[in-house]
Amino acid sequence: MRTFRTFSRLRATALLLALSALPALAGIRTWTDVRGRQMQAILLGVQDGQAHFERDGHTFRFPVSSLSEADRQYIARQQLLSRRGPANPASPGPA
């Protein structure tokens, strides 16, 4: 019986660890530059024409103008969505 409880705890711990990694994995994307070279990284943000990425635990900047047209459009859409906020924000009605 004790072995079963230990196994159940290990399974629960493994499941929690796997689920906690999902948000980071969802952000990983393949990016392509104008020369066709590719990399996988997480976009952290854009400032002053520089895209800030994270890859393998390191952060770095890359000129947005050096990214492929499709990736520049993706960034533009993400920036637009982040400015809009939630699709149906809860708003307090008139008092």
Side-chain angles (χ1 to χ4, degrees), residues 45-68:
V46 177
Q47 184 177 15
D48 299 326
Q50 297 283 316
H52 296 253
F53 292 104
E54 179 189 348
R55 180 178 64 197
D56 300 327
H58 296 89
T59 59
F60 62 96
R61 293 178 294 174
F62 195 83
V64 173
S65 61
S66 294
L67 291 169
S68 68

Side-chain angles (χ1 to χ4, degrees), residues 22-29 31 41-43 74:
L22 286 178
L25 292 175
I28 295 175
R29 185 173 190 280
W31 300 89
I42 299 169
L43 177 66
Y74 175 84

